[in-house]
Amino acid sequence: MTVTSPAGFDAAGIAAGIKRSGALDLAVVVNRGPSAAAAAVFTSNRAKANPILWSQQVILDGVVSAIVLNSGGANCFTGPEGFQVTHRTAEAAASALGIAAGDVLVCSTGLIGDQLDGEVLEEGVLSAAARLSADGGGDAARAIMTTDTKPKTVVVDGDGWRIGGMAKGAGMLAPGLATMLVVLTTDADLPSGELDAALREATRVTFDRLDSDGCMSTNDQVTLLASGASGIVPDAAAFRAALTAACRSLAEQLQADAEGASHDIAIEVRGAVTEDDAVEVGRSVARNNLFKAAIFGNDPNWGRVLAAIGTTQAPFDPYLVDVSMNGVRVCHAGRPDAARDEVDLTPRATHVLVELHAGEASATILTNDLTHDYVHENSAYAS
Amino acid sequence: MTVTSPAGFDAAGIAAGIKRSGALDLAVVVNRGPSAAAAAVFTSNRAKANPILWSQQVILDGVVSAIVLNSGGANCFTGPEGFQVTHRTAEAAASALGIAAGDVLVCSTGLIGDQLDGEVLEEGVLSAAARLSADGGGDAARAIMTTDTKPKTVVVDGDGWRIGGMAKGAGMLAPGLATMLVVLTTDADLPSGELDAALREATRVTFDRLDSDGCMSTNDQVTLLASGASGIVPDAAAFRAALTAACRSLAEQLQADAEGASHDIAIEVRGAVTEDDAVEVGRSVARNNLFKAAIFGNDPNWGRVLAAIGTTQAPFDPYLVDVSMNGVRVCHAGRPDAARDEVDLTPRATHVLVELHAGEASATILTNDLTHDYVHENSAYAS
C-alpha cells in the first residue's frame, strides 16, 4: 500500500536524530530500475526552500535514482549553509548507493529558518541506505510526518503495472502544493516527458484543488518515479486515470488529517462559464475564515458563502445564485429558501453546492473548517 | 466626541425592537444645514446588500439630509421584499423629517439572509426622529454596534470647523470596507465633489489598509455629511489631513475591538518599488492564518512572513528581505538573525517590519491575530 508496492523500489525510514522527539525523521526511496525516468512539480511560492532549489535542477534531465526526505526542519531561509546541507545530503545518498548526486532529489519539511545539522543528515542517509528494502515503504511514510497524525499511502493497480504513493502534509495546504511532500512510484515503463504530462494533469485536479487553510508553503514537492520494472508500457489514458486516482486518494487523506479540522468540506461549484471561474469561486469560499468558522459551529450561514463569492471576478449574477448545504437548498436566486435548521452539519463530511447559473463548467475545491484546534496547533508549532 | 459634535447635526439612537436582546439597534443622523453636501464610499463586493443598492442611488446627486442605520440584520440577499424594507425606511425618515426620501441614506448590519420587519423599522424611525438632539450622537454610536464591545467615535478640530464621526465593525474587516459602517460629519462648508475626493483619499490610506480577517462585507459604507454650519470654507489640504486623521482614529478603534483579537498588528512594509506593491506584500501577511495564529501564541515565526510574501507578484528578492518583530531583527537577507527568544510578543500592540530592499515605497497594513475567541465568536454568530 505504499511507494514500495510497485516493482523496482526499495525504501527505508529511520530516526536520524533530527527530531528531538526521537521519532522517525528521514526517508530514502530508491528506484532500482531498469528505468530511472521521473517528473516532479514544485511549490509556486517564490520563497523556495533549499531542497526545492536543488531538486529543480536535478529533475531537469528527467532522470532520478533516489529521493531523500526529512522531517524536523524545512531548510528554508537558511542561506548558503542550508544549501550546502541539501547538497551534502544528496552526496551522501549518491555515495552510499553508487549513483550520481545529480540524480538524487531532496525534500525537507518542518520549521522555516532553522539550520539542519549536515552531519546528522549525512549519517542518517548512510544509515537509511543500509536498511533499504522492498518492505520499507511503511517506515518511509511515517518518517516524513510532521503534525500528521497518520501516514498517508496509496496503491492503484493497472493492467500489469501499479502505482504506489505516500504523502505528508497537515497544514499550509493550498494551491501550489503547500507543505505537502508526495512521492509516487510506478513500475510502468514511461519516459519522463509522459510522466511529467500525466503528473501535471493529475495534480491540477487533485492537490491543486485542496486548499485547507489558504497558505502556500515554501517546500512542496510532488515526485513521480518510474522503474519500468513491470516491462509494460501502459495505455496513456489508463495511466493518467490511475495516477489521478492515486493523487485524489492522497489529497483526500491529507484533507482528512488537516491540522485541527473537524469538517472535511467539499465546495462544488456548478454553472460557471469556465472551469477556472468555478475554481476561483470555490477557492474564495474555501479561504473565507467566517464561513470556515461557521461550519465549525455547525452553522449553515450561507450569507458568508455569497459574501465570499461576491469578491471574485468570475462572471455570474450574485442574485441568481443557489446555495445548498448537505443537500438542503438554503438560498435560491439570492434569497432565503429552506430554513437553516433543516441543515444537518454534524457529519464530518460537508458538501456545499454553489450553482451560479452562468454556464456549464464545474469544479470542486476541498477544504476544512476553522477550529480551536487549528488555532492551537499553529500557535504552538514552533515552541 | 461624535457625529453631533460639529454644528448642524442632530442624532438619536433607540431600541426599535430589531435585536431580540432589546439593545439599541436604530440610529438616525440628520444634517440641519444650511448645506446638505455629502459623499460616500461603498463595499466593492459584488454581493451588495439592499441598503447599499439604495444608498448608491441616493448619493449620486451629492445631497443627503439624513442617514438611518440599523443593526440586527444586514438586509442582504433578501430579494425585492428586502429592498422594499429599505425604501420604506427612507420614506419613514423623509416623512418624519419633512425631507425627500431620495436624500436619505440607509445602512444595515447584521446577519445576511434574514428579512427585516418593515413595520418595526418604520416605527423605529418615527420614534428616533422624535428624539433627535444635538446630544444624540452617543446613543447613535451605540445603536449601530453588533459584536462591537464599545462604541467608536472621534472628533478632530480644524480652524473654526470640526469633523466628528462614529463607526461600527468588529468582524469581516477587509479592504473594500468590510462590515464597517462609518458616519463622518463636519460643519465645514464644502461641495460634494470636494467631500468625495477628500473621503476617497482618506479611506484609501486608513479603512482600506485595515484587514482584520480578509473577509469583505456586503454592507460597508463610509458616509461624510457636511452641514456648512460653521460658515467656513476650510483649506483643502487641512481638511483632508483632518479627515484622514479622523478615519485613522476610527480604523484603529475598529482594529482594537476586532472580534476575539488579542494582538493589534501593524505590518509595515518598506523598500517596495511602489506603494501598491507594499500594500500587496503587507496584505499577504495580514491574511496568512499561520502567521496570525503564531502571533496569537506569541511565537515570532518569521518563516511564515516570508512564506506569505513569497506568494505575491511584487518585485523583490525573497533572499534579500529583512524581517523585524517588535524591534528585533529576526531575519536578515533571508537568513536567521537575532534569536527568536529575544522577541517579546506579549504586548497587544505588535509591529512587524518587512524591508524588501527593492525600492523606496512603503505602506502599513493593520490586522489582528487569529485566536480561539475569533473562532468561537464566528462559529456562534448566527445562533
Side-chain angles (χ1 to χ4, degrees):
Chain A
M1 273 296 290
T2 180
V3 289
T4 45
S5 297
F9 294 92
D10 290 337
I14 65 155
I18 308 165
K19 288 179 178 166
R20 287 178 210 158
S21 66
L24 300 185
D25 53 17
L26 190 137
V28 177
V29 181
V30 177
N31 182 352
R32 300 294 190 189
S35 171
V41 294
F42 302 93
T43 181
S44 56
N45 200 318
R46 292 160 60 200
K48 295 185 202 302
N50 285 306
I52 296 288
L53 299 175
W54 170 266
S55 294
Q56 286 184 319
Q57 297 304 311
V58 168
I59 202 64
L60 286 177
D61 65 1
V63 176
V64 172
S65 297
I67 181 168
V68 180
L69 311 94
N70 76 273
S71 52
N75 197 0
C76 182
F77 289 113
T78 46
E81 309 93 295
F83 191 81
Q84 284 165 14
V85 169
T86 294
H87 185 194
R88 185 172 172 180
T89 303
E91 290 284 0
S95 165
L97 299 167
I99 58 178
D103 294 341
V104 179
L105 295 170
V106 180
C107 295
S108 298
T109 178
L111 188 64
I112 295 171
D114 271 1
Q115 286 292 356
L116 289 173
D117 185 322
E119 191 163 332
V120 169
L121 262 290
E122 181 174 330
E123 288 175 8
V125 168
L126 298 179
S127 171
R131 294 194 220 175
L132 287 164
S133 85
D135 300 324
D139 284 346
R142 279 185 287 279
I144 61 175
M145 292 164 60
T146 52
T147 56
D148 305 68
T149 65
K150 57 188 77 165
K152 287 95 178 172
T153 62
V154 70
V155 167
V156 176
D157 282 319
D159 187 11
W161 49 270
R162 172 175 277 183
I163 294 171
M166 66 178 184
K168 70 78 48 177
M172 262 191 168
L173 301 173
L177 315 170
T179 307
M180 184 171 5
L181 300 183
V182 179
V183 180
L184 296 149
T185 55
T186 182
D187 49 17
D189 187 13
L190 285 167
S192 61
E194 289 190 28
L195 297 176
D196 185 72
L199 185 61
R200 288 178 192 281
E201 181 176 306
T203 56
R204 188 181 73 81
V205 295
T206 56
F207 297 119
D208 275 351
R209 295 201 179 161
L210 173 64
D211 193 338
S212 178
D213 69 359
C215 298
M216 189 192 294
S217 166
T218 52
N219 286 60
D220 299 314
Q221 182 172 335
V222 179
T223 303
L224 172 59
L225 307 174
S227 70
S230 69
I232 293 177
V233 177
D235 172 71
F239 183 78
R240 290 186 181 205
L243 188 66
T244 299
C247 289
R248 180 166 291 121
S249 168
L250 291 173
E252 288 172 354
Q253 292 178 59
L254 291 169
Q255 181 191 27
D257 196 25
E259 283 173 352
S262 69
H263 290 78
D264 299 331
I265 311 169
I267 300 164
E268 181 181 357
V269 179
R270 288 190 202 153
V273 174
T274 69
E275 188 178 345
D276 284 350
D277 291 331
V279 169
E280 182 191 1
V281 167
R283 214 183 281 300
S284 74
V285 180
R287 292 189 170 181
N288 188 281
N289 279 350
L290 292 171
F291 163 78
K292 291 155 77 84
I295 298 296
F296 166 60
N298 297 333
D299 170 13
N301 193 323
W302 55 267
R304 293 178 178 177
V305 174
L306 286 163
I309 70 177
T311 65
T312 68
Q313 301 300 313
F316 64 88
D317 180 344
Y319 297 93
L320 293 181
V321 170
D322 296 340
V323 178
S324 300
M325 291 185 170
N326 284 352
V328 179
R329 196 176 69 179
V330 283
C331 172
H332 175 52
R335 296 168 57 182
D337 195 9
R340 294 171 199 262
D341 58 13
E342 289 179 29
V343 180
D344 179 9
L345 287 172
T346 54
R348 183 174 175 106
T350 307
H351 182 245
V352 176
L353 173 62
V354 179
E355 297 190 273
L356 300 178
H357 298 294
E360 302 298 323
S362 63
T364 298
I365 301 290
L366 305 180
T367 189
N368 296 101
D369 53 350
L370 178 60
T371 70
H372 290 300
D373 286 350
Y374 176 89
V375 173
H376 176 73
E377 286 198 37
N378 287 300
S379 61
Y381 183 79
S383 44
Chain B
M1 273 297 290
T2 181
V3 290
T4 45
S5 296
F9 293 92
D10 289 338
I14 65 155
I18 309 165
K19 288 179 178 167
R20 287 178 211 158
S21 65
L24 299 185
D25 53 19
L26 191 137
V28 176
V29 181
V30 177
N31 181 353
R32 301 293 189 189
S35 171
V41 294
F42 302 93
T43 181
S44 56
N45 200 319
R46 292 161 58 201
K48 294 185 203 302
N50 285 306
I52 295 289
L53 300 175
W54 170 267
S55 294
Q56 285 184 321
Q57 297 304 311
V58 169
I59 201 64
L60 286 178
D61 65 0
V63 176
V64 172
S65 298
I67 181 167
V68 180
L69 311 95
N70 76 273
S71 52
N75 197 1
C76 182
F77 290 113
T78 45
E81 309 93 296
F83 190 81
Q84 285 164 14
V85 170
T86 294
H87 185 192
R88 185 173 173 180
T89 303
E91 290 285 1
S95 164
L97 298 169
I99 57 177
D103 293 340
V104 179
L105 294 171
V106 180
C107 294
S108 298
T109 177
L111 188 65
I112 295 171
D114 272 1
Q115 286 292 355
L116 289 173
D117 185 322
E119 192 163 330
V120 169
L121 262 289
E122 181 174 329
E123 289 176 8
V125 168
L126 299 180
S127 171
R131 294 195 221 174
L132 287 164
S133 84
D135 298 325
D139 284 346
R142 278 185 288 277
I144 60 175
M145 291 165 60
T146 52
T147 57
D148 306 68
T149 66
K150 57 188 77 165
K152 287 96 178 169
T153 62
V154 70
V155 167
V156 177
D157 282 319
D159 188 10
W161 48 271
R162 172 176 274 184
I163 294 172
M166 67 177 183
K168 69 78 48 176
M172 262 191 168
L173 301 173
L177 316 170
T179 307
M180 183 172 4
L181 300 184
V182 179
V183 179
L184 295 149
T185 54
T186 182
D187 49 17
D189 187 12
L190 285 168
S192 62
E194 288 191 29
L195 296 176
D196 185 73
L199 185 60
R200 289 179 192 282
E201 181 177 308
T203 57
R204 188 181 73 80
V205 295
T206 56
F207 298 119
D208 276 350
R209 296 204 178 157
L210 172 64
D211 193 338
S212 177
D213 68 0
C215 298
M216 189 192 295
S217 166
T218 51
N219 287 61
D220 299 313
Q221 183 171 337
V222 179
T223 303
L224 172 59
L225 307 174
S227 70
S230 69
I232 293 177
V233 177
D235 172 71
F239 183 78
R240 290 185 180 204
L243 187 66
T244 300
C247 290
R248 180 165 292 122
S249 168
L250 291 172
E252 288 171 355
Q253 291 178 60
L254 292 168
Q255 180 191 28
D257 196 25
E259 285 174 351
S262 69
H263 289 79
D264 299 332
I265 311 170
I267 300 163
E268 181 180 358
V269 179
R270 288 190 201 154
V273 174
T274 68
E275 188 178 345
D276 284 351
D277 291 331
V279 169
E280 182 191 0
V281 167
R283 215 183 280 302
S284 74
V285 180
R287 293 188 170 181
N288 188 280
N289 279 350
L290 293 171
F291 162 77
K292 289 155 77 84
I295 296 298
F296 167 59
N298 297 333
D299 170 13
N301 193 324
W302 56 266
R304 293 177 178 177
V305 174
L306 286 162
I309 70 176
T311 65
T312 68
Q313 302 301 312
F316 63 88
D317 180 344
Y319 297 93
L320 292 181
V321 169
D322 297 339
V323 177
S324 300
M325 292 184 168
N326 284 353
V328 179
R329 196 176 69 180
V330 282
C331 172
H332 175 53
R335 297 167 58 183
D337 195 10
R340 293 170 200 263
D341 58 13
E342 289 180 29
V343 181
D344 179 11
L345 287 172
T346 54
R348 183 175 174 106
T350 307
H351 183 244
V352 176
L353 174 63
V354 180
E355 296 189 275
L356 299 178
H357 298 293
E360 302 296 323
S362 63
T364 298
I365 300 291
L366 305 180
T367 189
N368 295 100
D369 52 350
L370 178 60
T371 69
H372 290 300
D373 287 348
Y374 177 89
V375 173
H376 176 74
E377 285 199 37
N378 287 300
S379 61
Y381 182 78
S383 45

